Amino acid sequence: PAQVLSTAPDILYLWVVRMIFSSMEFMKKIPFENVYIHPTVFAKTGERMSKSLGTGVDPMELIAKYGADATRFGIIFQVSDRQDIKFSEENILMAKKFCNKIWNASRFVLMQLGSSQFTLKEIEKIKISQKLTSADKKIIKQLESAIKSTDVYLEKFQFGKAANKLYDFFWHDFCDKYIEKAKKQKDKITTQKVLLKVLSDSLKLLHPFLPFLTEEIYQNLPVKSKTKLLIIESWPK
């Protein structure tokens, strides 16, 4: 809380600069290290959102209609670098479909695992250097790329880019391609481990964006010695 300030650009000089000056004057130090200037979200018509004018959007209605995770992800997904955005409910609907995709993919992985149980070390040891199929190696490499990209985007406060990267990776690379190939692979045990590793790490990466869905799925993963809650799980590397 004392390192990052999140603010809109229109009060940068009215409020943020004065906070810095006041802190340096009375406390002899800067009050925060980073200022995240987020975009302003306008109504679909381009007007400023206002309750009195009827141009606002009630987030509670969106949550009731689409769910909290979908509302959260749908807004983050359309955020670009400091560029103001026009609110679009279509993005929330897209996010709801993405949540369904994650849920269904997770159900498939759990069905493939059946009664199998793996330790955390077994899952973490899966590397490209092992005797894996070309499909296994490709998805592991894509996962590592997704982790690196997400790290960079989050460090730079580029939340929209991080959301887009994770969406593309999970939906297209993991679901559309690898899961379909995994159905035909002969080495069942290795395939189970790869499926579980990719799903587990994906849940960790998606957790800041979809906290409720990912936590629910995480609780059902057949991994021994995992932490009790995803929110305190180690970030993938």
Side-chain angles (χ1 to χ4, degrees), residues 36 173 201 237:
Y36 172 58
D173 297 332
D201 283 353
K237 297 181 180 179

Side-chain angles (χ1 to χ4, degrees), residues 63-79:
I63 290 172
K65 187 176 181 180
Y66 298 106
D69 278 346
T71 300
R72 179 189 185 101
F73 189 87
I75 294 174
I76 296 173
F77 188 84
Q78 57 187 314
V79 172

Side-chain angles (χ1 to χ4, degrees), residues 57-78 87-88 91-93 95-96 99 209-210:
V57 177
D58 187 345
M60 297 307 294
E61 292 181 3
L62 293 172
I63 290 172
K65 187 176 181 180
Y66 298 106
D69 278 346
T71 300
R72 179 189 185 101
F73 189 87
I75 294 174
I76 296 173
F77 188 84
Q78 57 187 314
F87 175 77
S88 172
N91 284 291
I92 311 298
L93 177 59
K96 181 180 179 181
C99 289
F209 305 91
L210 302 164

